[in-house]
Amino acid sequence: LSITAMLSIPQAFMRPREAQKAADEAKARFAHIDGDHLTLLNVYHAYKQNNEDGQWCYDHFINTRSMKSADSVRSQLVRIAQRHNIRLCSTDFSNKDYYPNIRKAMVTGYFMQVAHLERTGHYLTVKDNQMVHPHPSTCLENKPEWVLYNEFVLTSKNFIRILTDIKGEWLVDLAPHYFDLSNFPQCEAKRVLERLYMKQKQQNQYGR
């Protein structure tokens, strides 16, 4: 819910021209190794832990108005979930699966927004095979084989923005209806998925 709320707001990070280096350093303190969605979650948790303090936001180059909006959206989502008797549950923070489970949950919702790293070093969006580049603002320091993205930004290049490192196995486990290879275009991603489906079949046949 917190990540969904953070995705609904304008940019949380401020980067004033006269203080770009300091702003980048402040953002780096929130960065998560697995990508931008979890970085946004870190920002939200820090905002709440610091009692939604405007001065704290200013000192860390966080947009106070955007954070208030995210908090409001999250409260609305909680009320909607409660109204429809949707159980809200979260893995305990101390559990090693805390972050992987969040990433898997995102795959179940955003499985159509996935890109695969080709051998040539660029990404292709899955199914429509658009060549794309990670947006320069991403916190990812490497190039994972699979990424989930939030936005497709068209400028002089095709960029994907707000990225998270995901596993190919999760795609075949959590969204087999979408990653149906019978209507999949020929590409490197299809060949990788074919191997993953074969591996899954063998594991199911012989037991995990």
Side-chain angles (χ1 to χ4, degrees):
L1 284 182
S2 302
I3 293 174
T4 303
M6 289 293 287
L7 292 174
S8 74
I9 62 171
Q11 184 62 260
F13 297 104
M14 296 189 296
R15 196 172 185 261
R17 186 170 296 177
E18 69 279 6
Q20 289 182 351
K21 187 172 185 291
D24 290 344
E25 289 172 353
K27 180 181 178 180
R29 286 194 283 273
F30 297 106
H32 192 282
I33 191 171
D34 291 322
D36 303 314
H37 293 84
L38 297 178
T39 296
L40 291 175
L41 181 63
N42 285 344
V43 172
Y44 182 78
H45 284 165
Y47 172 71
K48 298 299 284 185
Q49 287 164 5
N50 285 276
N51 302 311
E52 305 166 25
D53 181 44
Q55 185 61 47
W56 177 86
C57 289
Y58 179 82
D59 292 341
H60 292 82
F61 295 90
I62 302 296
N63 189 318
T64 308
R65 186 176 295 178
S66 292
M67 295 307 300
K68 286 181 178 178
S69 177
D71 209 26
S72 174
V73 168
R74 190 186 188 284
S75 297
Q76 292 173 49
L77 291 173
V78 169
R79 289 196 296 272
I80 291 169
Q82 290 171 340
R83 192 181 310 138
H84 292 280
N85 296 316
I86 297 171
R87 188 169 68 94
L88 300 176
C89 57
S90 181
T91 307
D92 187 87
F93 183 72
S94 62
N95 191 309
K96 65 179 175 61
D97 290 326
Y98 176 75
Y99 287 116
N101 283 350
I102 293 173
R103 289 153 65 206
K104 287 178 183 178
M106 289 193 296
V107 169
T108 64
Y110 297 107
F111 54 82
M112 295 175 69
Q113 294 166 212
V114 170
H116 179 258
L117 181 65
E118 304 294 292
R119 291 178 192 170
T120 52
H122 62 263
Y123 281 96
L124 283 184
T125 56
V126 168
K127 285 206 171 180
D128 54 2
N129 281 359
Q130 292 275 333
M131 187 190 299
V132 291
H133 304 270
H135 195 274
S137 64
T138 184
C139 291
L140 284 174
E141 294 182 355
N142 61 341
K143 278 187 166 186
E145 182 180 10
W146 299 92
V147 292
L148 180 147
Y149 63 91
N150 187 61
E151 293 177 359
F152 187 102
V153 182
L154 181 58
T155 56
S156 56
K157 287 182 177 179
N158 292 340
F159 286 110
I160 45 176
R161 198 172 79 84
I162 308 185
L163 312 177
T164 286
D165 179 357
I166 60 170
K167 306 293 183 190
E169 291 86 351
W170 300 346
L171 301 176
V172 300
D173 285 342
L174 302 172
H177 54 293
Y178 185 73
F179 293 92
D180 175 8
L181 300 184
S182 63
N183 61 356
F184 215 88
Q186 285 297 333
C187 59
E188 210 169 302
K190 180 177 183 177
R191 291 189 286 275
V192 174
L193 289 168
E194 283 172 343
R195 291 196 294 272
L196 290 172
Y197 273 116
M198 186 65 69
K199 180 180 176 183
Q200 182 192 61
K201 185 178 179 181
Q202 289 173 344
Q203 287 176 335
N204 291 339
Q205 187 175 351
Y206 298 111
R208 293 176 185 269

PDB file of all heavy atoms in Angstrom, residues 95-109:
ATOM      1  N   ASN A  95      12.051 -10.775   8.905  1.00  0.00           N
ATOM      2  CA  ASN A  95      12.075 -11.982   8.077  1.00  0.00           C
ATOM      3  C   ASN A  95      12.899 -11.741   6.816  1.00  0.00           C
ATOM      4  O   ASN A  95      12.762 -10.699   6.166  1.00  0.00           O
ATOM      5  CB  ASN A  95      10.632 -12.361   7.707  1.00  0.00           C
ATOM      6  CG  ASN A  95      10.526 -13.730   7.069  1.00  0.00           C
ATOM      7  OD1 ASN A  95      11.239 -14.050   6.122  1.00  0.00           O
ATOM      8  ND2 ASN A  95       9.606 -14.539   7.575  1.00  0.00           N
ATOM      9  N   LYS A  96      13.756 -12.694   6.446  1.00  0.00           N
ATOM     10  CA  LYS A  96      14.615 -12.520   5.258  1.00  0.00           C
ATOM     11  C   LYS A  96      13.804 -12.386   3.971  1.00  0.00           C
ATOM     12  O   LYS A  96      14.311 -11.895   2.960  1.00  0.00           O
ATOM     13  CB  LYS A  96      15.590 -13.694   5.143  1.00  0.00           C
ATOM     14  CG  LYS A  96      14.943 -15.052   4.893  1.00  0.00           C
ATOM     15  CD  LYS A  96      15.977 -16.158   4.779  1.00  0.00           C
ATOM     16  CE  LYS A  96      15.350 -17.535   4.638  1.00  0.00           C
ATOM     17  NZ  LYS A  96      14.505 -17.677   3.450  1.00  0.00           N
ATOM     18  N   ASP A  97      12.536 -12.811   3.999  1.00  0.00           N
ATOM     19  CA  ASP A  97      11.686 -12.728   2.806  1.00  0.00           C
ATOM     20  C   ASP A  97      10.905 -11.412   2.733  1.00  0.00           C
ATOM     21  O   ASP A  97      10.064 -11.248   1.842  1.00  0.00           O
ATOM     22  CB  ASP A  97      10.695 -13.895   2.779  1.00  0.00           C
ATOM     23  CG  ASP A  97      11.390 -15.225   2.500  1.00  0.00           C
ATOM     24  OD1 ASP A  97      12.382 -15.214   1.738  1.00  0.00           O
ATOM     25  OD2 ASP A  97      10.952 -16.253   3.038  1.00  0.00           O
ATOM     26  N   TYR A  98      11.173 -10.481   3.655  1.00  0.00           N
ATOM     27  CA  TYR A  98      10.410  -9.225   3.684  1.00  0.00           C
ATOM     28  C   TYR A  98      10.465  -8.508   2.334  1.00  0.00           C
ATOM     29  O   TYR A  98       9.434  -8.234   1.711  1.00  0.00           O
ATOM     30  CB  TYR A  98      10.950  -8.320   4.799  1.00  0.00           C
ATOM     31  CG  TYR A  98      10.291  -6.963   4.864  1.00  0.00           C
ATOM     32  CD1 TYR A  98       9.007  -6.821   5.388  1.00  0.00           C
ATOM     33  CD2 TYR A  98      10.950  -5.825   4.411  1.00  0.00           C
ATOM     34  CE1 TYR A  98       8.389  -5.570   5.452  1.00  0.00           C
ATOM     35  CE2 TYR A  98      10.348  -4.572   4.473  1.00  0.00           C
ATOM     36  CZ  TYR A  98       9.071  -4.453   4.997  1.00  0.00           C
ATOM     37  OH  TYR A  98       8.466  -3.218   5.042  1.00  0.00           O
ATOM     38  N   TYR A  99      11.668  -8.209   1.860  1.00  0.00           N
ATOM     39  CA  TYR A  99      11.800  -7.486   0.593  1.00  0.00           C
ATOM     40  C   TYR A  99      11.465  -8.359  -0.622  1.00  0.00           C
ATOM     41  O   TYR A  99      10.766  -7.894  -1.537  1.00  0.00           O
ATOM     42  CB  TYR A  99      13.195  -6.869   0.462  1.00  0.00           C
ATOM     43  CG  TYR A  99      13.394  -5.668   1.360  1.00  0.00           C
ATOM     44  CD1 TYR A  99      14.337  -5.688   2.380  1.00  0.00           C
ATOM     45  CD2 TYR A  99      12.629  -4.514   1.197  1.00  0.00           C
ATOM     46  CE1 TYR A  99      14.523  -4.591   3.220  1.00  0.00           C
ATOM     47  CE2 TYR A  99      12.801  -3.411   2.017  1.00  0.00           C
ATOM     48  CZ  TYR A  99      13.753  -3.450   3.029  1.00  0.00           C
ATOM     49  OH  TYR A  99      13.915  -2.359   3.842  1.00  0.00           O
ATOM     50  N   PRO A 100      11.920  -9.629  -0.692  1.00  0.00           N
ATOM     51  CA  PRO A 100      11.503 -10.476  -1.825  1.00  0.00           C
ATOM     52  C   PRO A 100       9.991 -10.599  -1.956  1.00  0.00           C
ATOM     53  O   PRO A 100       9.453 -10.584  -3.067  1.00  0.00           O
ATOM     54  CB  PRO A 100      12.147 -11.835  -1.507  1.00  0.00           C
ATOM     55  CG  PRO A 100      13.364 -11.485  -0.715  1.00  0.00           C
ATOM     56  CD  PRO A 100      12.953 -10.311   0.130  1.00  0.00           C
ATOM     57  N   ASN A 101       9.277 -10.694  -0.825  1.00  0.00           N
ATOM     58  CA  ASN A 101       7.818 -10.814  -0.888  1.00  0.00           C
ATOM     59  C   ASN A 101       7.173  -9.545  -1.443  1.00  0.00           C
ATOM     60  O   ASN A 101       6.169  -9.609  -2.162  1.00  0.00           O
ATOM     61  CB  ASN A 101       7.242 -11.149   0.491  1.00  0.00           C
ATOM     62  CG  ASN A 101       7.437 -12.608   0.853  1.00  0.00           C
ATOM     63  OD1 ASN A 101       7.826 -13.417   0.016  1.00  0.00           O
ATOM     64  ND2 ASN A 101       7.178 -12.958   2.101  1.00  0.00           N
ATOM     65  N   ILE A 102       7.735  -8.387  -1.101  1.00  0.00           N
ATOM     66  CA  ILE A 102       7.216  -7.128  -1.647  1.00  0.00           C
ATOM     67  C   ILE A 102       7.430  -7.101  -3.157  1.00  0.00           C
ATOM     68  O   ILE A 102       6.533  -6.716  -3.929  1.00  0.00           O
ATOM     69  CB  ILE A 102       7.901  -5.918  -0.983  1.00  0.00           C
ATOM     70  CG1 ILE A 102       7.503  -5.829   0.500  1.00  0.00           C
ATOM     71  CG2 ILE A 102       7.522  -4.616  -1.710  1.00  0.00           C
ATOM     72  CD1 ILE A 102       8.264  -4.764   1.274  1.00  0.00           C
ATOM     73  N   ARG A 103       8.611  -7.525  -3.599  1.00  0.00           N
ATOM     74  CA  ARG A 103       8.910  -7.536  -5.039  1.00  0.00           C
ATOM     75  C   ARG A 103       7.992  -8.523  -5.771  1.00  0.00           C
ATOM     76  O   ARG A 103       7.518  -8.242  -6.876  1.00  0.00           O
ATOM     77  CB  ARG A 103      10.379  -7.867  -5.266  1.00  0.00           C
ATOM     78  CG  ARG A 103      11.309  -6.729  -4.842  1.00  0.00           C
ATOM     79  CD  ARG A 103      12.696  -7.218  -4.447  1.00  0.00           C
ATOM     80  NE  ARG A 103      13.411  -7.801  -5.551  1.00  0.00           N
ATOM     81  CZ  ARG A 103      14.370  -8.715  -5.410  1.00  0.00           C
ATOM     82  NH1 ARG A 103      14.708  -9.159  -4.208  1.00  0.00           N
ATOM     83  NH2 ARG A 103      15.007  -9.186  -6.458  1.00  0.00           N
ATOM     84  N   LYS A 104       7.719  -9.665  -5.150  1.00  0.00           N
ATOM     85  CA  LYS A 104       6.798 -10.630  -5.764  1.00  0.00           C
ATOM     86  C   LYS A 104       5.382 -10.051  -5.850  1.00  0.00           C
ATOM     87  O   LYS A 104       4.686 -10.247  -6.859  1.00  0.00           O
ATOM     88  CB  LYS A 104       6.776 -11.926  -4.942  1.00  0.00           C
ATOM     89  CG  LYS A 104       8.028 -12.768  -5.076  1.00  0.00           C
ATOM     90  CD  LYS A 104       7.930 -14.012  -4.195  1.00  0.00           C
ATOM     91  CE  LYS A 104       9.199 -14.842  -4.256  1.00  0.00           C
ATOM     92  NZ  LYS A 104       9.129 -16.022  -3.361  1.00  0.00           N
ATOM     93  N   ALA A 105       4.978  -9.354  -4.818  1.00  0.00           N
ATOM     94  CA  ALA A 105       3.646  -8.729  -4.825  1.00  0.00           C
ATOM     95  C   ALA A 105       3.541  -7.723  -5.965  1.00  0.00           C
ATOM     96  O   ALA A 105       2.495  -7.610  -6.622  1.00  0.00           O
ATOM     97  CB  ALA A 105       3.376  -8.048  -3.480  1.00  0.00           C
ATOM     98  N   MET A 106       4.622  -6.989  -6.216  1.00  0.00           N
ATOM     99  CA  MET A 106       4.613  -6.024  -7.312  1.00  0.00           C
ATOM    100  C   MET A 106       4.508  -6.728  -8.664  1.00  0.00           C
ATOM    101  O   MET A 106       3.831  -6.242  -9.578  1.00  0.00           O
ATOM    102  CB  MET A 106       5.860  -5.139  -7.251  1.00  0.00           C
ATOM    103  CG  MET A 106       5.843  -4.160  -6.089  1.00  0.00           C
ATOM    104  SD  MET A 106       7.111  -2.890  -6.220  1.00  0.00           S
ATOM    105  CE  MET A 106       8.597  -3.858  -6.126  1.00  0.00           C
ATOM    106  N   VAL A 107       5.139  -7.895  -8.786  1.00  0.00           N
ATOM    107  CA  VAL A 107       5.044  -8.665 -10.031  1.00  0.00           C
ATOM    108  C   VAL A 107       3.600  -9.085 -10.298  1.00  0.00           C
ATOM    109  O   VAL A 107       3.131  -9.043 -11.439  1.00  0.00           O
ATOM    110  CB  VAL A 107       5.972  -9.904  -9.987  1.00  0.00           C
ATOM    111  CG1 VAL A 107       5.678 -10.851 -11.148  1.00  0.00           C
ATOM    112  CG2 VAL A 107       7.436  -9.473 -10.028  1.00  0.00           C
ATOM    113  N   THR A 108       2.881  -9.464  -9.252  1.00  0.00           N
ATOM    114  CA  THR A 108       1.487  -9.892  -9.448  1.00  0.00           C
ATOM    115  C   THR A 108       0.615  -8.737  -9.943  1.00  0.00           C
ATOM    116  O   THR A 108      -0.408  -8.969 -10.601  1.00  0.00           O
ATOM    117  CB  THR A 108       0.868 -10.455  -8.146  1.00  0.00           C
ATOM    118  OG1 THR A 108       0.811  -9.420  -7.150  1.00  0.00           O
ATOM    119  CG2 THR A 108       1.663 -11.628  -7.620  1.00  0.00           C
ATOM    120  N   GLY A 109       1.007  -7.503  -9.643  1.00  0.00           N
ATOM    121  CA  GLY A 109       0.211  -6.354 -10.074  1.00  0.00           C
ATOM    122  C   GLY A 109       0.713  -5.678 -11.334  1.00  0.00           C
ATOM    123  O   GLY A 109      -0.073  -5.144 -12.122  1.00  0.00           O
TER     124      GLY A 109
END
